[in-house]
Amino acid sequence: MKEKFKSLFGNLNKSYSHFEEKTPKKNGTLKAFIIILIFFLIAEYFTLTPINLRSPDFVFFLAFCIILFIGLRSLFQLSFDKINKIGLMVAALLIVYVFLGELASSPIFHASTYQKQLNVDKKADFYKDNEKVNYQSIPVVDKDSAERLGDRKMGEIVDYVSQFEVDDQYDQINFSNKPYRVTTISYSDFIKWFTNHGEGLPAYIRVDMVTQESEVVRLKEGMKYSYSDLFFRNINRHIRIKYPTKMFENPSFEIDENGNPYWIAPVYQYKIGLFGGKDITGAILVDAISGDSQYYDIQEVPSWIDRVYPSDLLLNQLENWGKYGKGYFNTIFSQKGVLKPTDGYNYVALDDDVYIYTGLTSVSSDASNVGFALINMRTKEAKYYAISGAEEYSAMSSAEGKVQNLKYTATFPILINAGGQPTYFMSLKDSAGLVKKYAFVSVENYQIVSVGDSVAEAERAYYKLLSENGKVKVDIENKKINGKITAIQEAVVNGNSHYYLKIEGYKKVFIAPISLNDQLPLAKVGDIITIEYVDDESSSETISSIVFK
């Protein structure tokens, strides 16, 4: 046995001596560097990693490239010299740098700093901030319904259907002081891209979340930069080439006040330790048509932009605000005063900005909310309303129970002030995802719920229920007028006929669902009518009743 081991080690020693005796080849370093440089550029083209030592992904990638360089250099030079040892040490230090940086940036050391990243106004007055609800700014369709409406509208454009398809992004924005969801169209496949990319994408889609009207907006000049574009006109790659060191989130699609298309890429930095406390520090605006771009610091972002802070980042910071108020270890042991956002969220349009809305509940998950949060997605202004009551999914179930025979499903609600009471407002959809009814549910008592075919009808029924249940008497500002029809136009909204009326002596547009009166299809200019509606001081009103003279 000893002889076998001697023979084995003898052969290994000879092989090693033979390797040592070989003369190192020239230009091994240059060859290895060129190969690694080509590999780096190809990998960067596909991964789009920011070239920034504050990016953990880049540091790991850099360490991998160094190790690969060492391996190739050793292979080419047939030696493992001092330079390779130093390179290996640098790669190891980079990996340790990431692990220690992640550890040092964790909440266990910085719980208080994480908790204060979101400055929440705990003294916000819900009734003052929401003195009167404007139903012209309340979205009645969610993202799923918007997608269906947009797809249906796209299907009507024959020359587009064969070449393009609709993206499922549908970001919510404010446009002309009303909530809309907007999305781009995209090339159906590589062949369609090849034949159409010279002109760019010819249109985008916007869906009015109040009236449920969808529109394919044709552009004079096509959008050359988008997610569906290939090579250097892909929007992420276009931004990375222009800003190689900046760390940015996925761009969202928005339109300015004139309807021009832009991409908005939030730029972030880590504010706690090396790799903790991600926060938005600015935004890159890219003209979707020309590709012209400009970076703005967070304080200088144009006011027409609605979405600078991503939803998941705001919800994460809100979660930290509710979790770390009494330190890190309190979240593990006593959990005193620990709050968490509810599972769902929605968007609210206020003062020409978009706010993300969600409820806050205790960690015990007792099916009730202790309050609500509204966060501005452009400025990160955050408000907390200490209003206790049913959590959103209980309210949704209560509304669905009212129409259980129809098997409608409720959208995630938004919080409004209806009749001086904190109220959940939601839409009820059929199996096809189309909005059929509307519901109001009391936050304090989710057994108080009203459902109607129109918002006005559901609102009137809700106010009646509030009075019957001993709540503060509600002044619903119900108006009744007589007049002559001066203009009438029918429109199909989400599969249902609605009639838009102008009445002599009134500047408002009055909207009447066909379910109000069987005579509506026969109505004409000159007819005398009596209508009732709840006046919310908007430019158009939904009629709750109509009588023909």
Side-chain angles (χ1 to χ4, degrees):
M1 181 66 71
K2 286 183 179 180
E3 295 298 324
K4 287 184 178 179
F5 273 110
K6 285 181 180 180
S7 176
L8 176 62
F9 281 112
N11 291 334
L12 287 172
N13 187 52
K14 288 179 182 178
S15 299
Y16 178 77
S17 299
H18 180 71
F19 179 79
E20 287 289 315
E21 289 171 1
K22 283 191 174 182
T23 305
K25 294 185 177 181
K26 295 180 179 180
N27 300 324
T29 301
L30 180 60
K31 291 177 182 177
F33 178 77
I34 291 173
I35 292 173
I36 292 302
L37 179 60
I38 294 172
F39 169 77
F40 178 87
L41 293 175
I42 293 173
E44 181 65 20
Y45 176 86
F46 288 103
T47 64
L48 304 177
T49 307
I51 304 174
N52 192 320
L53 288 175
R54 294 296 298 276
S55 167
D57 292 338
F58 174 73
V59 176
F60 269 122
F61 180 55
L62 182 60
F64 176 76
C65 287
I66 292 173
I67 293 171
L68 194 58
F69 170 78
I70 292 169
L72 289 173
R73 187 174 183 274
S74 299
L75 182 65
F76 290 142
Q77 299 211 156
L78 300 176
S79 67
F80 192 86
D81 57 15
K82 187 177 181 180
I83 293 177
N84 287 346
K85 292 177 182 178
I86 294 173
L88 193 61
M89 187 180 298
V90 171
L93 288 174
L94 288 174
I95 294 172
V96 171
Y97 163 76
V98 173
F99 281 112
L100 291 181
E102 293 276 8
L103 178 63
S105 306
S106 67
I108 193 171
F109 301 113
H110 306 279
S112 176
T113 309
Y114 275 96
Q115 197 268 341
K116 294 175 182 176
Q117 258 200 309
L118 185 66
N119 184 20
V120 181
D121 181 5
K122 296 180 68 174
K123 297 181 179 180
D125 188 332
F126 171 75
Y127 302 99
K128 182 179 179 181
D129 293 340
N130 301 270
E131 290 182 359
K132 185 172 183 174
V133 64
N134 180 1
Y135 293 107
Q136 300 305 309
S137 65
I138 292 182
V140 299
V141 296
D142 58 5
K143 181 180 179 182
D144 178 64
S145 297
E147 287 182 19
R148 293 173 185 267
L149 293 169
D151 290 347
R152 180 186 297 174
K153 194 66 178 180
M154 182 69 173
E156 298 174 5
I157 313 297
V158 178
D159 56 327
Y160 286 177
V161 173
S162 62
Q163 302 295 312
F164 308 99
E165 56 189 27
V166 184
D167 275 355
D168 60 0
Q169 195 166 2
Y170 282 96
D171 292 321
Q172 182 170 332
I173 64 168
N174 268 9
F175 178 66
S176 298
N177 293 319
K178 291 181 67 177
Y180 279 81
R181 283 193 180 269
V182 291
T183 190
T184 61
I185 60 177
S186 59
Y187 304 103
S188 298
D189 52 44
F190 177 78
I191 301 299
K192 302 303 189 322
W193 169 84
F194 185 77
T195 56
N196 291 285
H197 78 280
E199 292 77 28
L201 299 171
Y204 62 84
I205 292 176
R206 64 186 180 206
V207 179
D208 188 322
M209 300 182 69
V210 178
T211 66
Q212 305 179 54
E213 296 176 353
S214 57
E215 180 183 5
V216 175
V217 182
R218 296 176 183 259
L219 299 167
K220 293 180 179 179
E221 185 179 352
M223 292 183 287
K224 307 296 194 306
Y225 298 86
S226 68
Y227 280 110
S228 66
D229 243 297
L230 303 179
F231 308 115
F232 295 100
R233 286 195 347 199
N234 174 275
I235 185 58
N236 273 317
R237 189 167 293 115
H238 177 71
I239 296 174
R240 173 57 63 222
I241 290 171
K242 292 233 175 189
Y243 304 91
T245 63
K246 288 194 180 298
M247 298 181 289
F248 60 85
E249 299 281 7
N250 286 329
S252 60
F253 181 71
E254 289 200 34
I255 55 177
D256 66 11
E257 295 162 345
N258 298 315
N260 300 314
Y262 283 86
W263 293 100
I264 316 298
V267 174
Y268 66 88
Q269 291 181 9
Y270 294 105
K271 296 291 189 177
I272 302 174
L274 288 174
F275 307 117
K278 179 194 286 188
D279 209 356
I280 303 303
T281 56
I284 299 169
L285 272 65
V286 182
D287 188 313
I289 296 173
S290 68
D292 293 339
S293 62
Q294 186 171 352
Y295 171 77
Y296 292 89
D297 286 330
I298 192 65
Q299 300 87 356
E300 300 171 353
V301 171
S303 60
W304 62 263
I305 295 175
D306 294 313
R307 304 175 71 94
V308 179
Y309 289 87
S311 302
D312 56 352
L313 184 143
L314 292 178
L315 291 172
N316 179 256
Q317 291 190 357
L318 179 65
E319 183 179 7
N320 292 337
W321 175 81
K323 182 191 293 185
Y324 298 123
K326 296 184 182 297
Y328 179 81
F329 292 102
N330 177 65
T331 66
I332 300 175
F333 300 110
S334 65
Q335 296 185 324
K336 185 177 180 180
V338 175
L339 303 176
K340 67 175 183 179
T342 49
D343 292 335
Y345 62 91
N346 211 330
Y347 301 102
V348 180
L350 293 172
D351 302 323
D352 203 29
D353 276 327
V354 173
Y355 288 74
I356 189 170
Y357 146 83
T358 188
L360 287 162
T361 185
S362 65
V363 291
S364 61
S365 300
D366 56 0
S368 64
N369 284 347
V370 298
F372 301 89
L374 281 180
I375 311 174
N376 190 310
M377 299 188 71
R378 180 175 60 86
T379 65
K380 208 173 78 165
E381 175 192 8
K383 296 181 179 183
Y384 172 73
Y385 301 117
I387 300 172
S388 59
E391 57 90 28
E392 292 89 342
Y393 285 98
S394 297
M396 291 164 66
S397 297
S398 183
E400 290 169 354
K402 276 285 189 177
V403 289
Q404 59 182 340
N405 59 312
L406 300 172
K407 298 182 179 180
Y408 290 167
T409 57
T411 60
F412 192 84
I414 57 176
L415 183 69
I416 63 172
N417 176 5
Q421 297 293 319
T423 302
Y424 289 123
F425 172 81
M426 65 199 80
S427 302
L428 295 164
K429 305 186 297 182
D430 62 13
S431 57
L434 301 178
V435 175
K436 294 299 182 181
K437 290 181 181 293
Y438 308 93
F440 288 77
V441 182
S442 171
V443 171
E444 296 176 356
N445 182 2
Y446 66 91
Q447 299 301 320
I448 301 177
V449 52
S450 68
V451 173
D453 291 329
S454 67
V455 176
E457 181 182 332
E459 182 186 26
R460 284 168 59 85
Y462 180 67
Y463 289 164
K464 183 178 179 182
L465 286 172
L466 288 178
S467 297
E468 291 174 354
N469 282 270
K471 301 296 181 183
V472 179
K473 182 175 175 60
V474 181
D475 180 12
I476 61 173
E477 297 185 75
N478 191 51
K479 288 193 174 182
K480 184 176 183 179
I481 63 172
N482 299 287
K484 182 192 297 184
I485 297 176
T486 58
I488 183 169
Q489 182 70 45
E490 180 187 9
V492 177
V493 179
N494 212 8
N496 300 312
S497 292
H498 288 67
Y499 292 85
Y500 292 74
L501 312 170
K502 292 284 288 183
I503 298 178
E504 189 175 53
Y506 296 90
K507 294 181 178 180
K508 290 178 179 286
V509 174
F510 298 96
I511 306 170
I514 192 172
S515 58
L516 288 181
N517 196 306
D518 292 336
Q519 290 183 257
L520 274 168
L522 304 176
K524 60 184 182 300
V525 173
D527 286 351
I528 304 298
I529 57 174
T530 300
I531 64 171
E532 290 186 34
Y533 65 95
V534 177
D535 187 7
D536 61 10
E537 300 178 0
S538 58
S539 59
S540 61
E541 305 285 359
T542 301
I543 299 170
S544 57
S545 73
I546 180 170
V547 177
F548 288 84
K549 294 292 181 68

